[in-house]
Amino acid sequence: MKRIKSREDYRLFVDSDRRSLGLTSKRNWCMLNEVLVFQIRLRRLELALNCSKNPIRLLIRRYLYRRTSIRLGFSISPNTIGPGLSIAHRGAIVVNGGARIGANCRLHVGVNIGTEAGKADSAPTIGDNCYIGPGAKIFGSITIGAGSVIGANAVV
C-alpha cells in the first residue's frame, strides 16, 4: 500500500480523495463537504507522522484530526487507507491501525474493520477498488481481492 512520504504524495492523495467523492471543482469544496475536511485532516496527519520532525505541528494535526473524527463518528487510524478514499457520509466507521486498505475504496456507515479477538496483529488486507456496504464487519487476518464488493450487513 502506498503511503504519504512527501508533499507531492499528500497532494496526490487529497486530489484522489476529492475526485472519488465526486467533487470536480476545487472551489469551495471544503466548506460544503465535511467528510472531505476529515479526509484532508487525516492526510495532513499522515504527512506529519511520516515526514515532519516538528512536534508542535504533529500535535496540532492530531488535535484537528481527533476533533473532526469525534464530530463525524469516524475512528480511522492513519496510514491504513490508500489514495481515493470515498466515505459515503458521516456515521460510525472503525478501521483498526493494522488493517491495510488499497486505493479507490468506498466505505459506508457502520463499517467495522478490525482484528481477530485477542490478536493485535491479525487485521484484514483489502485490495484496490473495493466497495464495503453499510454495516459490514470484517475481522481477522484475511485478504480481500481487488474489485471486491462486500454487501450490506455482511460479516467476513
Side-chain angles (χ1 to χ4, degrees):
M1 184 191 87
K2 187 172 179 172
R3 295 177 83 169
I4 296 176
K5 296 178 184 168
S6 67
R7 293 208 48 77
E8 186 60 37
D9 287 344
Y10 164 76
R11 286 187 206 99
L12 174 102
F13 272 62
V14 170
D15 193 46
S16 296
D17 291 347
R18 180 183 53 79
R19 280 183 283 136
S20 70
L21 288 170
L23 303 171
T24 55
S25 171
K26 290 186 177 183
R27 293 185 189 187
N28 299 329
W29 38 263
C30 269
M31 295 183 344
L32 302 175
N33 194 324
E34 61 190 358
V35 172
L36 183 60
V37 171
F38 166 78
Q39 289 180 214
I40 289 170
R41 289 185 175 169
L42 171 66
R43 301 309 186 185
R44 283 184 181 165
L45 176 60
E46 290 173 351
L47 178 65
L49 286 169
N50 299 338
C51 302
S52 180
K53 294 177 177 42
N54 184 338
I56 303 296
R57 177 175 288 154
L58 181 59
L59 188 65
I60 291 168
R61 299 288 186 230
R62 275 191 202 275
Y63 171 75
L64 292 173
Y65 165 76
R66 179 95 170 122
R67 195 172 104 190
T68 309
S69 179
I70 290 170
R71 191 175 81 244
L72 297 178
F74 302 148
S75 178
I76 299 175
S77 297
N79 293 315
T80 57
I81 302 176
L85 170 64
S86 175
I87 298 175
H89 50 83
R90 64 175 15 199
I93 296 175
V94 178
V95 178
N96 183 279
R100 296 291 166 246
I101 301 173
N104 302 316
C105 289
R106 183 166 177 87
L107 302 178
H108 281 268
V109 69
V111 169
N112 191 332
I113 301 172
T115 62
E116 189 176 330
K119 297 183 180 176
D121 60 346
S122 63
T125 300
I126 301 172
D128 296 342
N129 304 311
C130 289
Y131 172 89
I132 303 173
K137 312 296 184 229
I138 305 169
F139 297 105
S141 60
I142 59 172
T143 301
I144 297 172
S148 297
V149 175
I150 298 173
N153 295 318
V155 177
V156 182

